[in-house]
Amino acid sequence: QRRLGTSTAWARPCHDHLVFGRFFVVQVVRLERLRRRALVLLQLRELLRVQWRYHRRDHALLRTRLAVPVVFGLIVGSLFFHVADDQAGARGRIGLIFIATVYCGSVSTIAIPKVVATRAVFFREHTSNTFRLRPYFLAQMLAELPFVLVQGMLFLLTMYWMVGLTGDAAHFFAFAACFLLCTVACFAFAHLLAVLAPNADTGTIILATSNSVFTLFCGFMLPYASIPTFWRWLYYASMYRYPLGFLVSSELLSLIHI
């Protein structure tokens, strides 16, 4: 400043204006982010309310969701009724857990027609900028989540005590948490295929084929050592491999301590 011949009194107002300008820009950006966040939350709340009513008012599907797990649980429970604790019983428990895991993927097929049926409404409303993609798909999954959890618990409570699996509270809650997480993952995968598929029939075929591949490479029918080398990557890609391994190891380790 001394070389340029300027005074400090003249430079300070310019610096203050620069600082105020930066502060104003930061505040505007922050307010814009808050406005967008509030808008997304508002859209999520309204879309969640609409999707919840959409699922709750379908009484035929609701009765099917409640009846199928109970009926299938009674069938499985009667087949493996009070399975023994010996070596043959251990094989029976492994088979039971495998059937329960595959059931999670098979029953998730009911989610595809509901998602595809709302596609026309989605394109119309999204084109008119009524809502964004993220709150819509999040609300669609969250609205179905209570029905998925109830459906999984009905099957689990129906067959668990009939079969005679480990009855302590810690093991039961660990078993239930893993089973429900597997159920939610299968329904999320069904939602993904319903969005990507051109129609409901194609999505159902792709989901059935994917479930067959997951079943084949989960390690139950073919152990890892028996799978050809060029197909072993499907062993790690199988959705059923991880819950099957956890549930089987948890159940068999509990038998050792009996």
Side-chain angles (χ1 to χ4, degrees):
Q1 293 173 355
R2 187 176 299 173
R3 292 179 180 178
L4 296 175
T6 58
S7 62
T8 306
W10 176 262
R12 184 172 299 174
C14 296
H15 179 266
D16 293 341
H17 284 295
L18 182 61
V19 172
F20 176 76
R22 291 178 179 177
F23 175 77
F24 180 76
V25 172
V26 170
Q27 293 301 318
V28 170
V29 172
R30 184 177 300 174
L31 289 175
E32 181 64 20
R33 290 178 179 176
L34 292 176
R35 187 188 68 82
R36 291 182 180 180
R37 189 178 303 174
L39 182 61
V40 169
L41 293 177
L42 178 62
Q43 292 177 359
L44 177 61
R45 185 186 66 183
E46 294 300 322
L47 289 170
L48 188 60
R49 180 175 60 84
V50 172
Q51 291 290 336
W52 171 259
R53 290 182 177 178
Y54 178 63
H55 287 284
R56 185 172 56 86
R57 291 177 178 177
D58 194 346
H59 299 290
L61 181 61
L62 186 59
R63 286 193 295 266
T64 304
R65 283 181 178 271
L66 298 178
V68 168
V70 174
V71 173
F72 189 70
L74 291 174
I75 295 174
V76 174
S78 62
L79 288 175
F80 296 90
F81 186 73
H82 285 181
V83 65
D85 297 334
D86 53 7
Q87 186 175 1
R91 289 195 297 267
R93 292 169 190 265
I94 296 174
L96 165 70
I97 295 174
F98 170 74
I99 293 173
T101 306
V102 175
Y103 164 79
C104 296
S106 301
V107 78
S108 63
T109 310
I110 64 176
I112 292 182
K114 299 288 290 184
V115 176
V116 175
T118 60
R119 186 176 294 179
V121 178
F122 163 74
F123 283 126
R124 184 190 64 195
E125 299 298 331
H126 179 65
T127 304
S128 61
N129 294 325
T130 305
F131 49 75
R132 298 185 179 182
L133 292 176
R134 187 182 304 174
Y136 176 81
F137 289 112
L138 186 59
Q140 195 174 46
M141 189 63 197
L142 290 177
E144 195 174 9
L145 185 60
F147 301 99
V148 173
L149 295 178
V150 171
Q151 184 175 342
M153 283 302 299
L154 285 175
F155 172 76
L156 185 62
L157 293 175
T158 304
M159 69 90 183
Y160 192 90
W161 309 110
M162 293 180 63
V163 175
L165 299 177
T166 306
D168 60 282
H171 183 273
F172 172 76
F173 286 115
F175 192 100
C178 181
F179 181 78
L180 293 178
L181 185 61
C182 177
T183 305
V184 173
C186 291
F187 270 87
F189 183 68
H191 275 257
L192 175 63
L193 294 182
V195 172
L196 298 178
N199 50 59
D201 295 334
T202 305
T204 303
I205 294 173
I206 296 176
L207 181 60
T209 306
S210 302
N211 288 333
S212 301
V213 174
F214 294 156
T215 303
L216 185 61
F217 289 94
C218 68
F220 179 79
M221 297 182 177
L222 286 175
Y224 179 78
S226 301
I227 300 176
T229 306
F230 52 88
W231 286 122
R232 287 184 179 179
W233 62 274
L234 285 173
Y235 173 78
Y236 299 99
S238 175
M239 290 178 57
Y240 302 155
R241 173 221 169 190
Y242 303 97
L244 181 64
F246 174 80
L247 296 175
V248 168
S249 60
S250 177
E251 181 65 25
L252 295 185
L253 287 176
S254 65
L255 292 179
I256 298 176
H257 298 289
I258 293 179

